[in-house]
Amino acid sequence: MRRLPVYLLLDTSGSMTGEPIEAVKNGVQMMISSLRQNPQAIETAFLSVITFDTTAQQIIPLTDLASFQMVDLKATGVTALGDALRLTAQKIETEVAKTTTEQKGDWKPLVFIMTDGIPTDNWESGLAEFRKVKTAFTVACAAGGGADTNVLKQITDTVVSLENADSASIGKFFQWVTASIGVTSTKIEDLGREFTNVKELPPPPSELNIVV
């Protein structure tokens, strides 16, 4: 079975303390519950969660939706986004099955990044590592006014911003991520092809501003 790997890169730095981090936890839980109701997603989507604060760590390796158990998130430290990109590249290399002459590998991974701040490490070197791996597409979300969309635009062309990092806005972002994963898994199952054009995703809700 070809899996659809999905990597969530979540900012857990100190500025996410309080409502934002709670909203992220709730958003992930809602996403899992919703995707479990989707027959295509439950077959193909596998999720991993990578958090980044002073360092990055993979708190959940690539896991099928039925077995996925969210762990608690704590907000602390600074914003090692470069470290998160580097770690994601390493995990894609080791966890995602490659296509060989004998077998079809997994589908190209989807990567969703959410941050409310400015990277405090050497994010360019992390980005150089990340660029070496093949992803279907990467979406970056700048939550609130403290995030630097110029940095995120260098990681991916698809950047959305939230005016506020409150529970309503963050909840809307996760609803859109859920819909995007659902649509992708349905396309893969029905058409047997992946798409790398973000225009094929569901339109984002009004709370998400597309950064051009």
Side-chain angles (χ1 to χ4, degrees):
M1 186 197 74
R2 300 181 71 183
R3 305 175 301 172
L4 172 65
V6 180
Y7 288 86
L8 297 179
L9 278 61
L10 303 176
D11 186 337
T12 51
S13 62
S15 53
M16 291 287 289
T17 301
E19 187 179 359
I21 200 82
E22 292 304 320
V24 168
K25 287 192 273 195
N26 293 339
V28 174
Q29 292 289 17
M30 179 213 72
M31 183 172 86
I32 298 300
S33 307
S34 178
L35 288 173
R36 281 177 177 157
Q37 315 293 314
N38 178 323
Q40 279 89 7
I42 198 102
E43 287 291 316
T44 54
F46 279 63
L47 253 70
S48 167
V49 177
I50 288 173
T51 58
F52 56 99
D53 38 67
T54 304
T55 57
Q57 54 182 333
Q58 186 184 45
I59 58 169
I60 301 174
L62 214 50
T63 304
D64 65 278
L65 290 172
S67 316
F68 187 93
Q69 296 259 308
M70 190 53 183
V71 299
D72 195 28
L73 299 178
K74 296 274 188 288
T76 177
V78 290
T79 312
L81 177 58
D83 207 15
L85 292 170
R86 186 177 297 106
L87 180 59
T88 305
Q90 290 166 3
K91 294 303 178 185
I92 288 174
E93 279 294 321
T94 54
E95 293 179 333
V96 177
K98 293 179 176 57
T99 297
T100 64
T101 46
E102 285 81 44
Q103 62 156 18
K104 289 273 195 193
D106 291 327
W107 301 100
K108 284 184 195 153
L110 314 181
V111 178
F112 294 94
I113 303 166
M114 178 173 203
T115 180
D116 76 332
I118 295 166
T120 49
D121 63 347
N122 182 349
W123 62 271
E124 288 103 334
S125 73
L127 177 57
E129 294 294 309
F130 182 69
R131 283 199 172 128
K132 292 177 188 168
V133 294
K134 297 281 186 286
T135 62
F137 50 80
T138 300
V139 174
C141 175
D148 187 341
T149 53
N150 292 326
V151 169
L152 299 179
K153 285 295 278 189
Q154 292 178 65
I155 298 170
T156 174
D157 288 336
T158 310
V159 178
V160 295
S161 67
L162 300 170
E163 301 268 323
N164 303 301
D166 58 16
S167 52
S169 303
I170 290 173
K172 289 288 185 191
F173 171 69
F174 278 101
Q175 283 174 14
W176 181 61
V177 171
T178 305
S180 300
I181 296 168
V183 164
T184 308
S185 56
T186 302
K187 276 221 162 92
I188 284 169
E189 291 273 309
D190 293 352
L191 304 175
R193 70 175 182 87
E194 55 202 344
F195 56 81
T196 53
N197 186 342
V198 172
K199 292 189 171 66
E200 297 184 66
L201 292 183
S206 57
E207 288 83 352
L208 287 181
N209 306 306
I210 305 259
V211 179
V212 291

